[in-house]
């Protein structure tokens, strides 16, 4: 029983930065593996980054490694995606998602039980 609301998307020039936030409701937030996915027009939804309940283990899509950083604040029940050096190919709707409690890493969208509505990120060239 988790509700997720993304924010922080917008229009940014290539090379710029954005920080996405995902505010979660639910008393079990700290027990959920959290992920960010993105979906560009005409493309499949793709796993971008994930972080487990320990806040230590993180996972990234290869193309965003070194540019994106996922983090979470369990006290604020919020997960973040700091996106630097943005490229036009990063343009997509970004979704926050949560797995069931105590589930670990997965990049398969079907394994995530809870989803936000998405926030649009547009990177202009």
């Amino acid at each position: 029983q988790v509700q997720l609301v993304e924010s922080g998307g917008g229009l940014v020039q290539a090379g710029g930065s954005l920080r996405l936030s995902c505010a979660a409701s639910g008393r079990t937030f700290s027990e959920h593996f959290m992920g960010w996915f993105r979906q560009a027009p005409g493309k499949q939804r793709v796993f971008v980054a994930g972080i487990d309940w320990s806040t230590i283990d993180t996972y990234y899509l290869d193309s965003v490694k070194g540019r994106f950083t996922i983090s979470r604040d369990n006290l604020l029940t919020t997960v973040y995606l700091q996106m630097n050096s943005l490229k036009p190919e990063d343009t997509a709707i970004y979704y926050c998602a949560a797995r069931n409690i105590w589930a670990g890493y997965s990049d398969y969208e079907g394994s995530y039980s809870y989803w936000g509505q998405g926030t649009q990120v547009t990177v202009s060239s």
Side-chain angles (χ1 to χ4, degrees), residues 19-120:
R19 189 192 194 195
L20 305 184
S21 297
C22 173
S25 63
R27 54 189 175 273
T28 60
F29 174 78
S30 65
E31 300 170 357
H32 293 269
F33 184 96
M34 302 296 299
W36 286 96
F37 289 75
R38 69 187 185 190
Q39 187 167 22
K43 302 287 188 178
Q44 297 276 78
R45 189 171 297 185
V46 177
F47 175 86
V48 176
I51 186 167
D52 77 354
W53 54 88
S54 74
T55 76
I56 296 173
D57 295 321
T58 57
Y59 309 84
Y60 296 95
L61 177 68
D62 282 346
S63 63
V64 309
K65 288 180 179 177
R67 299 189 297 120
F68 291 11
T69 302
I70 188 170
S71 61
R72 69 192 295 166
D73 188 327
N74 287 338
L75 293 178
L76 297 179
T77 65
T78 302
V79 62
Y80 307 94
L81 186 67
Q82 179 66 47
M83 305 185 295
N84 299 325
S85 301
L86 283 162
K87 304 174 181 180
E89 52 262 44
D90 296 318
T91 295
I93 300 173
Y94 283 71
Y95 298 90
C96 179
R99 298 202 68 197
N100 289 331
I101 58 170
W102 304 123
Y105 163 74
S106 174
D107 62 0
Y108 171 50
E109 64 178 285
S111 71
Y112 286 75
S113 297
Y114 308 98
W115 293 84
Q117 295 299 112
T119 185
Q120 177 70 49

